[in-house]
Amino acid sequence: MPQHRHALVVALALLLPLAAHARDASEEDAFASIATLKKAYARGELTPTGMTQLFLDRIATIDKAGPRVNAVLETNPDALAIAGKTSGKGKGLLAGIPILLKDNIDTGDRMQTTAGSLALAGSTAPKDSAVAARLRKAGAVILGKANLSEWANIRSNHATSGWTARAGLTLNPYVLDRNACGSSAGSGSAVAAGLVTVAIGSETDGSIICPASMTGLVGIKPTVGLVSRTGIIPISHSQDTAGPMARSVADAATVLSAIAGSDPSDPATKDADKHATDYTKFLDPNALRGKRIGIVRQLAGIEPNADAALEKTIVLLKAQGATVVDNVEIPHLKELSEHELDVMLYEFKHDIAAYLATRPNQPMKTLADLIAFNEAHKDQEMPWFGQELFLMAQEKGDLDDPKYKEIVEKNKRLAGPEGIDAALAKDQLDALLAPSWGPAFVNDLVLGDHVVSGDPTVGGVSAPAAISGYPSITLPVAFAHELPVGVVFFGAKWSEPTLIAIAYGVEQKANAFQRPKFLPTLPVR
């Protein structure tokens, strides 16, 4: 045999075991963690292309057919091409990892960004949002856009979470006649159902924390200003932030590490680089030892399954060396909900116009244009609920209005320095703990959401962290009647490392994530 042919045969022989070692991705891989997938990529056992194809197939058979979860609004026509350009063996935090983005996050590609509304359908964003750009830089494969509550639930008080005119209603994969909560409903249901590894949601008040809780996930609502909002369809610049939704604290921490950081286009993030870090450094199974955690009973006592999950968490905390301080009160809690909606409406009118100006290739320019569109297309846009919040926002003044300036300052002060900060300082606490909303409620397009959000005089469990702009994290700790139930930890500004460490410690003992069974309804016994 000629020497060059012999060398070629030897080279092929060396490559064949690697090629033979690669396998088709399976259902087990659909629920694998980021770390597990990256190890499989490194061994040549799996490829980003194989994982992307697996998720596209599962979306076709589970999301669009079969159970019809309806979590994915559209898939990226370039997803396989993107996956094919990476082996997944790069140094990027998310190299080769498929991810879904909520459909209010711009991507400068062939996908639309619409907030689920027909008013923006048919047009694409001119460039990536800052979050999408950071995800691409980290090596992620942007798989598609997740369904949501239309306009992130700022259109009507009678809306059903997870419904959009563009895509219909997202279902909860655990029990299909139950709600996935809003507004990041699709992001939550998709991750829980194994349609993607991780997803990005966004929150103004509860829109990451509630759907994560009701779909059995970990959700992180970062400090406002840690993650850029550039290129995200807004509600309120005082409270808006994007954040990760995942099946584990480790995955959520990895995604947060990839998207956190300063952005000159978003002034709120000017200090982000001082605090952004590799959050996986805080995944310490012994982190609870010595922590002091306060129980906010003001936010409990509303839903018994949620309260049972809280008590279970308290036992887990104590068993791992944490000090639990019970009956911690957040000052001014009952005052926080008094003006929150007013602040949102003032800011939405201003912020949506500023966002629409970045989308020149579509006719909507102002909130008034959106209102007129909905009225002209009310059979498609308003078959179940109206747009009274849009109309209320349209009546607000501008951001120079003295009333607006007064209430936004008061809200921030009472929720932050005189609220959460005061509660933490009084008992020298590392974090605060409250129950979540409890198990998912039944879908009701006629009457709207029936979420058990807590005492209406104090707002929901997400409100203190949302209004202050401070971080919060939810994780599942129990199941009740086939439905996941979680708890919520929240704390001081920039305290993501502490919250992640605490949540990770609880997670190691609770081990609560379960794959959904796609039950049509709960059996009546």
Side-chain angles (χ1 to χ4, degrees), residues 350-415:
H350 172 272
D351 295 354
I352 193 62
Y355 170 81
L356 293 172
T358 71
R359 299 280 299 274
N361 296 323
Q362 53 81 37
M364 301 292 111
K365 306 300 179 187
T366 65
L367 176 56
D369 292 338
L370 298 176
I371 291 170
F373 180 94
N374 290 339
E375 187 59 37
H377 300 84
K378 59 185 177 182
D379 288 348
Q380 295 83 26
E381 279 288 348
M382 299 192 290
W384 301 111
F385 54 89
Q387 57 177 340
E388 64 272 13
L389 293 181
F390 271 21
L391 295 170
M392 290 166 63
Q394 182 61 23
E395 294 302 312
K396 295 296 184 185
D398 59 30
L399 300 187
D400 290 326
D401 187 327
K403 180 183 177 183
Y404 163 74
K405 291 182 176 181
E406 176 189 351
I407 60 176
V408 72
E409 185 279 329
K410 181 179 179 181
N411 276 7
K412 288 292 183 187
R413 174 169 46 83
L414 295 185

Side-chain angles (χ1 to χ4, degrees), residues 237-455:
H237 61 263
S238 292
Q239 296 183 202
D240 288 349
T241 182
M245 301 174 73
R247 291 183 293 267
S248 69
V249 176
D251 280 2
T254 302
V255 176
L256 183 61
S257 302
I259 63 175
S262 298
D263 170 19
S265 299
D266 183 355
T269 66
K270 63 182 177 63
D271 293 327
D273 281 348
K274 299 176 185 176
H275 301 278
T277 185
D278 177 2
Y279 292 99
T280 64
K281 294 186 301 184
F282 305 101
L283 302 176
D284 178 2
N286 299 312
L288 285 170
R289 199 169 297 157
K291 291 288 191 297
R292 292 177 59 82
I293 298 166
I295 312 304
V296 185
R297 295 285 178 185
Q298 293 163 290
L299 296 168
I302 306 300
E303 203 290 314
N305 297 290
D307 288 344
L310 175 65
E311 298 305 324
K312 176 181 178 180
T313 304
I314 292 171
V315 172
L316 293 176
L317 291 170
K318 291 179 177 178
Q320 294 180 79
T323 298
V324 172
V325 181
D326 214 337
N327 288 313
V328 170
E329 290 194 3
I330 300 177
H332 309 294
L333 192 59
K334 292 191 176 184
E335 299 173 58
L336 296 185
S337 60
E338 184 179 355
H339 294 298
E340 182 187 17
L341 179 59
D342 277 341
V343 169
M344 288 184 193
L345 296 178
Y346 270 104
E347 293 185 351
F348 180 64
K349 181 181 179 180
H350 172 272
D351 295 354
I352 193 62
Y355 170 81
L356 293 172
T358 71
R359 299 280 299 274
N361 296 323
Q362 53 81 37
M364 301 292 111
K365 306 300 179 187
T366 65
L367 176 56
D369 292 338
L370 298 176
I371 291 170
F373 180 94
N374 290 339
E375 187 59 37
H377 300 84
K378 59 185 177 182
D379 288 348
Q380 295 83 26
E381 279 288 348
M382 299 192 290
W384 301 111
F385 54 89
Q387 57 177 340
E388 64 272 13
L389 293 181
F390 271 21
L391 295 170
M392 290 166 63
Q394 182 61 23
E395 294 302 312
K396 295 296 184 185
D398 59 30
L399 300 187
D400 290 326
D401 187 327
K403 180 183 177 183
Y404 163 74
K405 291 182 176 181
E406 176 189 351
I407 60 176
V408 72
E409 185 279 329
K410 181 179 179 181
N411 276 7
K412 288 292 183 187
R413 174 169 46 83
L414 295 185
E418 297 181 19
I420 291 175
D421 291 339
L424 293 170
K426 180 177 180 293
D427 291 298
Q428 298 179 310
L429 302 172
D430 294 291
L432 300 168
L433 169 63
S436 73
W437 290 260
F441 52 94
V442 176
N443 286 316
D444 189 341
L445 285 164
V446 176
L447 299 180
D449 287 349
H450 301 290
V451 61
V452 179
S453 60
D455 184 341

